[in-house]
Amino acid sequence: MKFIATAGALLLASTVAHAQTSHWAFSYTGFYDQEAAAFLPGLRIDGSFTGVDANGDGVLERGELTSLLVDAKDYVACAAGSNTYYHCDADSFRFSAESGLSFGVSAYSSDPEGLYGGGHFVTTGQMVYDYQFNPYGGSEHHLLWTDGTTFTMSAALPGTESVPAVPEAPTWAMLLAGVGGIGLWRRRRA
């Protein structure tokens, strides 16, 4: 029984090694303002995200996020408040060392009669779109990603780790030790 508990602890330790919280900050700078017909090199979209690569595949996906801030709005936290007249969510998210960062977030609302409303959408690599409407008119604003849009990313908190693309050596060592221990235990019992 003692050995089973030890083997279980080693297996749990190898799982926990994958399930490390990652904190990242990112920034996109420079967008083409469609309505002004001008490239705005100083315009920035800042954000950060936190998550746990729970399945250890080296890819952080929407279901593994604990927060996604885009210009100070947390699109993971606001999802709980969505209803018939208000939607807010991180609609898509993917981050890995190989493929980089991509996401889509949206927040939009209207009154029950549909007379007043507005929304904000961000889809990385494509567009930031804002709109508003009321009985007297409406407005739209498009910011487009271009070849001149720059992207920067860094660990958001000092000392935090990125999502590993593959398991690190200590993780493999713990996993092999656990599996080897179980094999020895079974061999001794036989």
Side-chain angles (χ1 to χ4, degrees), residues 91-145:
D91 302 313
S92 64
F93 182 90
R94 183 177 176 86
F95 169 70
S96 74
E98 290 83 27
S99 64
L101 175 65
S102 65
F103 63 83
V105 296
S106 61
Y108 52 89
S109 63
S110 70
D111 64 331
E113 293 79 26
L115 298 174
Y116 297 88
H120 178 74
F121 299 82
V122 179
T123 304
T124 56
Q126 295 179 20
M127 167 179 21
V128 177
Y129 174 64
D130 291 293
Y131 72 93
Q132 292 183 349
F133 63 88
N134 60 51
Y136 311 104
S139 65
E140 292 184 306
H141 191 215
H142 301 79
L143 297 174
L144 307 177
W145 259 254

Side-chain angles (χ1 to χ4, degrees), residues 4 7 15 18 26-27 48 50 62 66 79 81 83 113 116 119 139 146 151 160 162-163 173 175 177:
I4 292 174
T15 302
H18 279 296
F26 60 87
S27 180
S48 65
T50 303
R62 170 59 179 98
T66 53
N83 58 45
E113 293 79 26
Y116 297 88
S139 65
T146 71
F151 173 67
T160 59
S162 64
V163 177
L175 179 62

